[in-house]
Amino acid sequence: MVKPVKTRGLADAIAEYVEDGMTVALEGFGHLIPFAAGHEIIRQGRRDLTLCRMTPDLIADQMIAAGTVRKLVASFFASGSAGSLHEVRRRIERHDPEPLEVEEYSHYGMFCRYQAAASGLPFFPLRSYAGSDLPELNPQIRKVEDPYGGAPVHVVPALAPDVTVVHAQRADRYGNVQMWGIVGAQQEVVYAARRAIVTVEEIVDEEVVRSDPNRTVIPAHAVDAVVHCPGGAHPSYVQGCYDRDNAFYRDWTPISKEPARLHAWLAEWVYGVPDRAAYLAKLGDHWPAAVAVGERLSQPVDYGRRLA
């Protein structure tokens, strides 16, 4: 059987799989955040999306400001510990320029929602809401009786995005995706979704993937499109490739604080460039120099093979 090649251009993948009104998850837990894909969604003018994201940092602020997002399903609202998300705050605190619908969970609550959908379950139990006021604020967090006679337990509903987008270090052309470092909920959110797009720093030969199969966090059967997109996680980081651009994160607070300045940034850095390669070229020499990482190799392992 001939395996299908799943490599696509980012613009083509977004155009095919992301439609107005969809529920879209862009995951990456501080690490491997798919900024390039988020920018392409903005560039293509998508509207009325429900954005799902643990820690809705700068990419959420940018997509909301661009008018792409109608509803945010999220946990832990933060700008990478570097300041405020002022567009999110304007929408929630002052309904300026219009309100944003928000459905809030804890990190583990979001993870459990993805896990439920990935497992084909309607909901998932967890104990971490004991003593929290989130169940009072979010009616989707409910209690059920323990069928085995224990105390009631909180549950969260399954979350199955129409499309999930994640970033990773590498994949082969068939869509076997390898990642290392903080992997967050990458595997669960891909399996939870109806479609999955993965952007990667590098497309490698199948033999590279086969040589270290335990790093294949997302296998080909769960992936619809794999996109070669070096620098696709900037300004977040990719373990072993580049560090986080902390200066960019610090700069975002004053940028997002003023709506006119924020929209000028979008005009210049998203609408004003055709793709991620042009975005990186516009960053100039500052970017690779500021976020370069030194080599730190993992020790090799011997998987062994049968001799006869």
Side-chain angles (χ1 to χ4, degrees):
M1 179 179 177
V2 178
K3 293 183 286 188
V5 173
K6 297 181 179 179
T7 50
R8 304 287 299 279
L10 181 56
D12 289 343
I14 297 299
E16 180 170 356
Y17 294 118
V18 181
E19 300 176 5
D20 290 355
M22 280 185 166
T23 296
V24 179
L26 272 67
E27 284 299 353
F29 198 64
H31 174 233
L32 299 171
I33 300 172
F35 274 92
H39 289 176
E40 184 59 34
I41 291 170
I42 293 172
R43 202 176 286 120
Q44 293 194 16
R46 294 296 180 270
R47 291 291 182 269
D48 296 322
L49 299 184
T50 295
L51 175 62
C52 306
R53 176 145 175 74
M54 297 166 67
T55 313
D57 63 355
L58 277 58
I59 191 60
D61 225 24
Q62 293 166 7
M63 293 178 72
I64 292 164
T68 301
V69 176
R70 177 188 61 82
K71 179 179 179 179
L72 183 61
V73 180
S75 56
F76 191 72
F77 295 68
S79 176
S81 302
S84 282
L85 301 172
H86 283 288
E87 182 66 23
V88 171
R89 291 187 62 175
R90 277 190 291 274
R91 299 297 182 98
I92 295 174
E93 295 172 358
R94 304 197 302 272
H95 296 179
D96 176 21
E98 59 186 13
L100 173 69
E101 186 178 352
V102 174
E103 193 174 305
E104 184 178 2
Y105 297 86
S106 62
H107 277 332
Y108 187 54
M110 284 287 287
F111 180 89
C112 289
R113 294 197 68 194
Y114 292 140
Q115 180 67 67
S119 303
L121 298 172
F123 57 83
F124 207 91
L126 67 165
R127 291 201 178 277
S128 59
Y129 287 126
S132 167
D133 61 356
L134 267 178
E136 298 176 13
L137 300 173
N138 184 349
Q140 291 286 77
I141 302 170
R142 302 178 186 177
K143 273 188 175 180
V144 298
E145 295 297 324
D146 179 353
Y148 300 101
V153 62
H154 284 103
V155 295
V156 290
L159 176 52
D162 295 302
V163 183
T164 282
V165 186
V166 298
H167 190 73
Q169 281 93 342
R170 69 190 184 199
D172 63 25
R173 60 189 180 134
Y174 306 111
N176 294 295
V177 178
Q178 296 193 326
M179 60 180 70
W180 50 94
I182 300 172
V183 297
Q186 311 288 74
Q187 185 180 72
E188 290 77 9
V189 70
V190 165
Y191 273 109
R194 188 167 56 86
R195 299 286 189 185
I197 300 168
V198 183
T199 58
V200 295
E201 295 293 319
E202 184 182 16
I203 300 289
V204 297
D205 290 338
E206 187 179 10
E207 288 307 310
V208 174
V209 172
R210 287 182 177 274
S211 73
D212 195 0
N214 283 8
R215 292 197 203 280
T216 306
V217 176
I218 303 169
H221 68 260
V223 175
D224 294 281
V226 60
V227 177
H228 183 217
C229 190
H234 178 271
S236 72
Y237 74 101
V238 174
Q239 191 73 42
C241 298
Y242 46 88
D243 205 350
R244 194 174 88 149
D245 191 340
N246 289 313
F248 187 100
Y249 273 83
R250 287 191 296 270
D251 288 345
W252 186 253
T253 294
I255 291 171
S256 66
K257 194 169 186 177
E258 301 176 26
R261 188 174 175 186
L262 194 161
H263 286 280
W265 186 91
L266 289 172
E268 181 178 359
W269 290 94
V270 179
Y271 298 113
V273 293
D275 53 28
R276 179 57 35 152
Y279 170 94
L280 295 178
K282 186 175 175 64
L283 283 174
D285 294 337
H286 152 77
W287 178 69
V291 299
V293 295
E295 186 177 78
R296 186 173 184 178
L297 297 177
S298 172
Q299 291 297 314
V301 298
D302 187 350
Y303 281 96
R305 64 176 180 174
R306 189 169 179 174
L307 294 175

